[in-house]
């Protein structure tokens, strides 16, 4: 959409994201669109930061008309709604330091200054659940398994609704399939530039929730919604292409056994070096660490592989197709703020390149099945196993902290620490059952 057009809808939702990665919005009548597009809208910085801060209380939303989409579903009363992502600026008109989209845009610009254009893709897992007992996330909407063709198509219809809605918003939907556990699904859309992919992941989550609710189900992206089943992963795929035309696949080297260029190896070494801090960004909630446990189908060590699917960092792609070679990060979960996670990854790439870090040997067997001596011999360290450990790693990582900025990092750590403190004030049903009559 160009800036001189008026949206053909009744209302426009101005979208932005807070530090935690939650979509926020202000909705305006279309009659106000031109004024808001040109002048923006005043915003209290606490909405982004998660806490009041007089120094950042007077910000402004500025719509990015290039991101406009018409929402492909109407309201219950038949009204039409458009959606547009906004940038957040301060009183001087500069990008707000804790606007996640601004943080990622800055990281992309730094990468492009190196002649490297980031390409990101995501695979987000989620559960489709029916209403369950009070205090639970619900019950799986089907009993199917990994890639199963189910005869009960109710949950399939929700995925079709999601795919069609996303396609009408301009996504290229590659496909959807059943994941390992009952009720668990995955929908994949086409990779793209970093900012577009991060924005679209948030739209995917919102659209999935709306489409599921319209059929009486819930689309649940929390990392570990059901104690007895696998958690939800967010697999992040990333590669670097040259900025000059014709663009070159910078991660590929046809003479290398694994097809990996020296740039890819140093970039991956940077990610392994900064993996603890990246874990805080990729696994930002108390619930995230109910998923990141050994023998749970989830990687818990700082290792990489070319063929081992249980590793945290996997090199994927066909050596015969240079542009397909990429890094797949398998430890993050859908609670992550993709803008901040992507920015952290690009900072780790750059640090690995600048220090010419040497990549360790691949680990082609499950690392959590190796004994401590074997792990030590290979130099394989664990990822953080709880939120406080991950937050300490983020706070102590100068490279990632600089990429996010002091204000963003401080807000992120502050909010996640508050969640951890709140969790420790909760008395769970498990504790009551275990201790009420026995101590």
């Amino acid at each position: 959409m160009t800036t001189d057009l008026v949206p053909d809808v009744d209302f426009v939702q101005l979208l932005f994201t807070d530090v935690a990665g939650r979509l926020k919005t202000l909705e305006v009548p279309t009659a106000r669109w031109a004024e808001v597009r040109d002048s923006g809208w005043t915003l209290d910085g606490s909405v982004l930061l998660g806490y009041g801060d007089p120094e950042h209380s007077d910000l402004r939303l500025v719509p990015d008309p290039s991101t406009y989409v018409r929402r492909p579903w109407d309201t219950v009363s038949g009204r039409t709604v458009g959606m547009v992502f906004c940038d957040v600026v301060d009183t001087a008109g500069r990008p707000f330091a804790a606007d996640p989209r601004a943080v990622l845009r800055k990281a992309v610009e730094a990468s492009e200054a190196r002649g490297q254009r980031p390409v990101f893709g995501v695979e987000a897992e989620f559960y489709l659940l029916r209403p369950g007992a009070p205090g639970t996330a619900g019950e799986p909407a089907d009993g199917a398994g990994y890639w199963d063709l189910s005869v009960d198509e109710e949950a399939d219809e929700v995925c079709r609704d999601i795919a069609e809605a996303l396609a009408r918003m301009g996504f290229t939907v590659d496909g959807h399939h059943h994941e390992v556990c009952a009720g668990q699904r995955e929908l994949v859309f086409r990779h793209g530039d970093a900012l577009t992919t991060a924005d679209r992941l948030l739209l995917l989550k919102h659209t999935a929730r709306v489409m599921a609710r319209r059929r009486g189900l819930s689309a649940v992206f929390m990392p570990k919604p059901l104690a007895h089943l696998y958690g939800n992963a967010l697999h992040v795929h990333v590669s670097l292409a040259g900025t000059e035309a014709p663009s070159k696949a910078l991660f590929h080297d046809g003479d290398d056994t694994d097809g990996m260029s020296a740039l890819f190896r140093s970039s991956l070494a940077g990610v392994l070096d900064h993996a603890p801090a990246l874990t805080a960004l990729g696994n930002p909630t108390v619930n995230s660490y109910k998923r990141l446990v050994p023998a749970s189908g989830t990687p818990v060590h700082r290792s990489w592989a070319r063929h081992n699917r249980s590793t945290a960092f996997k090199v994927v792609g066909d050596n015969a197709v240079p542009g397909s070679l990429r890094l797949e990060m398998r430890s993050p979960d859908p609670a992550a703020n993709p803008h901040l996670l992507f920015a952290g990854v690009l900072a780790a790439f750059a640090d690995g390149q600048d220090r010419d870090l040497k990549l360790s040997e691949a680990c082609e067997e499950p690392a959590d099945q190796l004994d401590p001596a074997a792990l030590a011999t290979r130099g394989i360290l664990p990822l953080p196993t709880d939120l406080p450990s991950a937050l300490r790693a983020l706070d102590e990582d100068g490279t990632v902290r600089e990429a996010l900025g002091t204000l963003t990092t401080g807000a992120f750590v502050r909010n996640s620490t508050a969640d951890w403190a709140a969790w420790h004030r909760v008395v769970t049903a498990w504790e009551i059952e275990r201790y009420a009559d026995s101590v």
Side-chain angles (χ1 to χ4, degrees):
M1 171 184 166
T2 60
T3 57
D4 58 345
L5 294 180
V6 177
D8 183 22
V9 291
D10 298 314
F11 291 86
V12 177
Q13 293 176 334
L14 309 181
L15 304 179
F16 60 102
T17 174
D18 66 6
V19 168
R22 292 181 291 257
L23 271 182
K24 303 287 186 176
T25 188
L26 167 78
E27 190 167 304
V28 300
T30 299
R32 293 288 314 281
W33 164 251
E35 178 184 350
V36 173
R37 179 199 63 206
D38 296 338
S39 302
W41 191 286
T42 301
L43 174 70
D44 184 348
S46 65
V47 181
L48 274 81
L49 295 173
Y51 57 88
D53 183 350
E55 185 180 352
H56 305 104
S57 61
D58 195 13
L59 306 175
R60 186 164 292 274
L61 285 177
V62 178
D64 177 359
S66 69
T67 66
Y68 175 83
V69 294
R70 175 171 173 160
R71 205 176 72 174
W73 63 90
D74 296 342
T75 68
V76 292
S77 57
R79 292 185 174 93
T80 55
V81 181
M83 298 187 292
V84 62
F85 276 96
C86 296
D87 296 313
V88 183
V89 300
D90 62 19
T91 53
R94 298 167 301 198
F96 178 48
D99 174 14
R101 296 182 85 243
V103 170
L104 178 54
R105 187 179 286 112
K106 181 180 177 182
V108 170
E109 290 171 352
S111 183
E112 290 178 341
R114 296 169 168 266
Q116 302 167 6
R117 179 175 58 84
V119 179
F120 278 87
V122 290
E123 301 172 82
E125 297 172 354
F126 59 98
Y127 276 92
L128 289 174
L129 302 178
R130 303 183 192 280
T136 68
E139 298 294 332
D142 62 55
Y146 199 32
W147 288 68
D148 278 354
L149 177 62
S150 175
V151 295
D152 180 2
E153 293 198 74
E154 182 181 24
D156 290 325
E157 283 291 84
V158 173
C159 291
R160 292 168 187 141
D161 292 343
I162 299 168
E164 287 183 352
L166 295 178
R168 290 173 63 186
M169 287 192 284
F171 289 53
T172 299
V173 178
D174 288 331
H176 62 88
H177 67 84
H178 205 287
E179 264 296 336
V180 173
C181 296
Q184 193 176 35
R185 298 286 174 146
E186 179 179 282
L187 187 146
V188 180
F189 61 86
R190 189 68 51 85
H191 57 264
D193 68 83
L195 192 59
T196 297
T197 299
D199 288 349
R200 287 184 167 182
L201 174 59
L202 299 183
L203 287 179
L204 162 66
K205 292 169 65 176
H206 176 68
T207 302
R209 293 185 180 113
V210 171
M211 295 297 107
R213 179 163 296 186
R214 291 192 163 204
R215 291 187 180 270
L217 304 178
S218 296
V220 178
F221 289 85
M222 70 181 289
K224 185 74 170 179
L226 302 169
H228 63 295
L229 297 178
Y230 285 171
N232 287 319
L234 175 70
H235 294 167
V236 175
H237 297 251
V238 56
S239 63
L240 297 175
T243 54
E244 297 183 358
S247 182
K248 180 182 178 182
L250 299 181
F251 273 1
H252 180 261
D253 182 349
D255 295 328
D256 183 81
T257 303
D258 292 315
M260 300 171 64
S261 67
L263 181 77
F264 192 176
R265 290 183 177 276
S266 62
S267 298
L268 175 51
V271 166
L272 288 168
D273 191 56
H274 294 283
L278 295 178
T279 299
L281 299 178
N283 311 91
T285 71
V286 171
N287 184 251
S288 297
Y289 298 86
K290 303 294 178 68
R291 170 181 168 265
L292 286 183
V293 295
S296 65
T298 303
V300 293
H301 289 88
R302 294 159 66 179
S303 61
W304 76 278
R306 187 67 171 92
H307 307 289
N308 172 20
R309 294 177 62 85
S310 72
T311 190
F313 304 99
K314 186 172 185 293
V315 175
V316 297
D318 185 347
N319 288 358
V321 184
S324 71
L325 205 69
R326 61 197 185 276
L327 170 64
E328 179 185 12
M329 300 175 61
R330 299 179 62 85
S331 58
D333 65 56
N337 182 330
H339 298 84
L340 301 185
L341 176 59
F342 292 1
V345 171
L346 295 180
F349 277 1
D351 188 54
Q353 296 167 22
D354 290 345
R355 293 196 285 148
D356 192 25
L357 294 180
K358 303 307 177 185
L359 185 62
S360 58
E361 291 187 6
C363 181
E364 295 295 352
E365 60 264 52
D368 59 2
Q369 294 181 12
L370 298 176
D371 60 41
L375 291 171
T377 299
R378 297 185 181 211
I380 296 175
L381 300 172
L383 294 171
T385 56
D386 56 62
L387 184 57
S389 298
L391 294 175
R392 282 195 298 272
L394 173 60
D395 202 39
E396 295 168 359
D397 191 312
T399 296
V400 177
R401 194 175 63 243
E402 182 180 358
L404 270 58
T406 301
L407 184 61
T408 305
T409 305
F412 185 94
V413 171
R414 175 175 176 168
N415 294 334
S416 292
T417 300
D419 272 358
W420 180 256
W423 157 247
H424 279 280
R425 292 191 293 269
V426 174
V427 178
T428 66
W430 180 87
E431 291 169 282
I432 297 296
E433 179 181 354
R434 191 171 184 88
Y435 302 123
D437 296 325
S438 64
V439 297

